[in-house]
Amino acid sequence: MTIPRSHPRYRSLKTREALVEAHRDGRLSLEGLIAHGRGEAFNYLLGEETAAPALVAEKAAAAYLLTAKRPVLSVNGNTAVLAAKEIAALAKAIPARVEVNLFHRTEKRVALLVRHLRQSGVVAPLGLRPDARIPGLESARSKCSRSGIFTADVVLVPLEDGDRAAALVKMGKKVLAIDLNPLSRTSRTSTVAVTDEVVRALVNIERFVRQLRGRDRELARVLKAYDRSRNLVAVHRFLVWRLGQLRE
Amino acid sequence: MTIPRSHPRYRSLKTREALVEAHRDGRLSLEGLIAHGRGEAFNYLLGEETAAPALVAEKAAAAYLLTAKRPVLSVNGNTAVLAAKEIAALAKAIPARVEVNLFHRTEKRVALLVRHLRQSGVVAPLGLRPDARIPGLESARSKCSRSGIFTADVVLVPLEDGDRAAALVKMGKKVLAIDLNPLSRTSRTSTVAVTDEVVRALVNIERFVRQLRGRDRELARVLKAYDRSRNLVAVHRFLVWRLGQLRE
C-alpha cells in the first residue's frame, strides 16, 4: 500500500513502514514493534514536538557527553532503524563510540544492525564481539564490550528498558536515557531522562554538543542546574496540560 | 523467555507473548503489533481499569445491541487474538452474528482467524466469502458479507480504524466502537464510543446485555440518556485527572 503524502499521518505511517520492513529483514524484533506503538501514543500526547523541559534535559545530556572521558552511545534495534544517521552525526560530534546492545539479542540481528549503522556513517560500531558482562542482568542481556559500554563513564541509552538502565547506574556510570514515558522506570532511574522522540532528541543533543563545546563554565553550570526529578515533574505537568488541550 | 508470575507487568507481558505468537502463526499483521503498543500506553494511562464514563458507554452499547434487528460483531486480528472467548460469549448473549473484517486483509489470515474464532466458541463466523462492499473504502478493505456487516443495523467495531467506522456510519448504521484513545477519529465518528480495553469492554457489555434484556423502558432510557460527545468529554477529563495522579 502506497501512502499518499497528503495523509494527515503520513510521517507516522512511513515510520511504521520502515519498522515493519526492518522486522521483515531481521533487524527488528516483534517486541520492538509493540514498543514503538507505545512510543507513538506518548509522542502523540506530547503533540509530536519537543517540550521545553525536554530541551533542558537534552542540554544536560550534551554536557555529560562532552565532559565524559569515555562516552558511549548504546543502540538497540528501534534506535538503529529510526535514527541511524542521527546516531552517526552525534557520535562524530562528541566524539563517542557506538555499541549495539539488544534486549532480544541474537547474533544475526547484531550483525545486521552493525552493518546498518556502518552504512549510515557510524565508524567502527561495537557489539559483534562482546567480551564483558553488565552485573545483575541475565546472560544474554548482560553482554557488552570492554572497549565500549563496560568501561564507559557516560552512556546514552535511547529506548532502553528499566532493568538495564538501573544496572548501568549501579556500575557507577552516568546514564542518559531517551524515553517518551516520563513515568517509566528508565526515566526515574537514569542520571538524565530525556522525554522526547528519539530522532528529535538526538538532533537536539547534537546541536547542544556543538554549542557547548569548549565552554567550560557553561558546561559546569548546565550540569549543576539539571535536576532529574524536578525536570520530570515539569515534563509530567506539560503532558497533563497538553492532554487537556488536545480536546480542543 | 519464561515470564515469572511475580513480574509487576506479568499480564501485560503474557498478552504481548500471545500477540507475538499470533503473528508468528500468521493470524496477526505486523501493524497489529504496533497498534497494540499504542493501546498499551493508553491502557496504562487509564490505570488499566474501566473508567466510570466508559461504563456508561458500555451500557449504551449493550442497549443498541439488544434493540438491533441485525446486530453484528466485527472482529479484526487483534480482537480475535485478545478476546475470542469474550466475543463468543457476547455474540451468544445478544444473539449476534460475528464477521471477520481485516484492515490488512489476506485470505489466509481471514481463514486462520475464522478457525480461531470457531475453536473459541463462535458459531458460524462470517468473513470467508465476502459478497458485498462498504462504499467509500479501497477495494481490499471494503469487502464484507451481505448476511453480516452489509445488512446490519448495529455493528460493534472493536479496535477499528477511523475510515471504516466513518464509512459504516455513512451507510446509516449505528456503529459501536471500542477504542482506548478517546480523541481518535474512530471515537469521534462512532454512534457509541467505548474508551476501554477490549476484553474489559466486551465483558462489561455482555453483563449489561444480560441485565437489560426485556426491560424495554430501561433500554429506551439508556439509549436516550447517552450522549457521545458529553461522554467523551468525561472520559477525557478522567484521563487528564489519572495522568495527574500517576506522578504520586
Side-chain angles (χ1 to χ4, degrees):
Chain A
M1 183 165 67
T2 317
I3 303 157
R5 276 196 171 272
S6 60
H7 194 288
R9 307 291 304 151
Y10 178 77
R11 245 193 104 181
S12 174
L13 294 173
K14 287 303 280 184
T15 303
R16 267 179 229 165
E17 246 186 13
L19 290 162
V20 164
E21 170 76 23
H23 169 69
R24 292 220 165 97
D25 67 24
R27 282 172 295 157
L28 201 65
S29 71
L30 291 169
E31 289 80 2
L33 291 176
I34 300 178
H36 179 71
R38 287 196 296 281
E40 269 189 1
F42 278 103
N43 194 18
Y44 161 87
L45 292 177
L46 284 166
E48 294 175 346
E49 53 187 37
T50 303
L55 214 54
V56 171
E58 283 157 358
K59 196 167 186 178
Y64 271 107
L65 288 166
L66 276 174
T67 54
K69 289 206 177 77
R70 300 177 64 86
V72 170
L73 315 184
S74 175
V75 172
N76 65 7
N78 287 43
T79 303
V81 172
L82 296 172
K85 278 185 187 150
E86 290 78 8
I87 284 286
L90 178 59
K92 198 176 161 195
I94 299 168
R97 295 300 300 264
V98 173
E99 178 168 342
V100 172
N101 209 282
L102 305 182
F103 189 100
H104 296 281
R105 184 186 178 95
T106 69
E107 297 315 313
K108 189 191 154 205
R109 191 174 300 135
V110 173
L112 286 169
L113 290 169
V114 162
R115 195 174 65 184
H116 174 81
L117 288 173
R118 213 178 265 138
Q119 285 167 349
S120 305
V122 173
V123 179
L126 297 161
L128 281 173
R129 280 171 293 277
D131 51 4
R133 288 187 183 280
I134 303 166
L137 296 178
E138 314 143 45
S139 160
R141 293 175 52 210
S142 71
K143 290 182 181 179
C144 67
S145 302
R146 193 164 288 277
S147 54
I149 288 172
F150 191 75
T151 55
D153 54 345
V154 174
V155 190
L156 179 77
V157 290
L159 320 180
E160 188 53 90
D161 91 299
D163 281 351
R164 188 141 51 194
L168 293 171
V169 168
K170 256 197 186 157
M171 287 175 84
K173 301 179 192 308
K174 304 295 180 192
V175 174
L176 321 174
I178 301 174
D179 188 325
L180 275 156
N181 179 358
L183 302 160
S184 73
R185 272 194 308 143
T186 305
S187 293
R188 288 180 287 127
T189 311
S190 303
T191 315
V192 174
V194 173
T195 311
D196 202 357
E197 188 273 331
V198 63
V199 172
R200 290 198 303 269
L202 292 170
V203 168
N204 289 337
I205 294 171
E206 189 205 334
R207 202 180 60 233
F208 285 124
V209 162
R210 296 188 187 281
Q211 282 176 14
L212 291 171
R213 194 197 316 283
R215 295 172 57 197
D216 289 357
R217 280 238 298 270
E218 177 66 1
L219 280 166
R221 196 198 60 74
V222 168
L223 290 175
K224 202 173 160 216
Y226 176 76
D227 178 322
R228 185 201 59 215
S229 299
R230 266 203 340 225
N231 186 264
L232 283 176
V233 169
V235 170
H236 181 251
R237 278 203 195 122
F238 175 83
L239 196 57
V240 173
W241 174 82
R242 260 293 303 177
L243 182 58
Q245 296 298 302
L246 273 177
R247 185 79 216 157
E248 316 308 319
Chain B
M1 181 164 66
T2 317
I3 304 158
R5 276 196 171 272
S6 60
H7 194 289
R9 306 292 305 152
Y10 177 77
R11 246 194 102 181
S12 172
L13 294 173
K14 287 303 278 185
T15 303
R16 267 178 228 165
E17 244 184 15
L19 289 162
V20 164
E21 171 75 22
H23 170 70
R24 293 221 165 97
D25 67 25
R27 281 171 295 156
L28 201 64
S29 71
L30 292 169
E31 289 80 0
L33 291 175
I34 300 179
H36 179 71
R38 286 196 297 280
E40 269 190 0
F42 279 102
N43 195 17
Y44 161 86
L45 292 177
L46 284 167
E48 294 175 345
E49 52 187 37
T50 303
L55 215 54
V56 171
E58 283 156 358
K59 197 167 184 177
Y64 271 106
L65 289 165
L66 276 173
T67 54
K69 288 205 177 75
R70 301 177 62 86
V72 170
L73 315 184
S74 175
V75 172
N76 66 7
N78 286 45
T79 302
V81 172
L82 295 172
K85 279 186 185 150
E86 289 77 8
I87 284 286
L90 178 59
K92 199 177 161 196
I94 299 169
R97 294 300 299 264
V98 174
E99 178 168 342
V100 172
N101 209 282
L102 305 182
F103 189 101
H104 297 280
R105 184 185 177 96
T106 69
E107 298 314 312
K108 190 190 155 206
R109 192 175 299 136
V110 173
L112 286 168
L113 290 169
V114 162
R115 194 173 66 185
H116 175 81
L117 287 173
R118 212 177 263 137
Q119 285 168 349
S120 304
V122 174
V123 179
L126 297 162
L128 282 174
R129 278 171 296 277
D131 52 4
R133 290 188 181 281
I134 302 167
L137 296 178
E138 313 142 48
S139 160
R141 293 175 54 210
S142 71
K143 290 183 181 178
C144 68
S145 302
R146 194 163 286 279
S147 56
I149 288 172
F150 192 74
T151 54
D153 54 345
V154 174
V155 190
L156 179 77
V157 289
L159 320 181
E160 189 53 88
D161 91 299
D163 281 351
R164 187 140 53 192
L168 293 171
V169 167
K170 258 198 184 157
M171 288 176 82
K173 301 178 193 304
K174 304 295 181 193
V175 175
L176 321 173
I178 301 175
D179 188 325
L180 276 157
N181 178 359
L183 302 161
S184 73
R185 272 193 309 142
T186 306
S187 293
R188 289 180 287 128
T189 310
S190 304
T191 316
V192 174
V194 173
T195 310
D196 203 357
E197 189 273 331
V198 63
V199 171
R200 290 198 303 268
L202 292 170
V203 167
N204 289 337
I205 294 171
E206 189 206 334
R207 204 182 57 232
F208 284 124
V209 162
R210 296 186 187 283
Q211 282 176 15
L212 291 171
R213 194 197 316 283
R215 296 172 59 197
D216 289 356
R217 282 237 298 269
E218 176 67 0
L219 280 167
R221 196 198 61 74
V222 168
L223 290 175
K224 202 172 159 216
Y226 176 77
D227 177 322
R228 186 202 57 214
S229 298
R230 265 203 342 226
N231 187 264
L232 283 176
V233 169
V235 171
H236 182 252
R237 279 203 192 121
F238 175 83
L239 197 57
V240 173
W241 174 83
R242 260 293 303 178
L243 182 58
Q245 297 297 303
L246 273 177
R247 186 80 216 156
E248 317 304 321

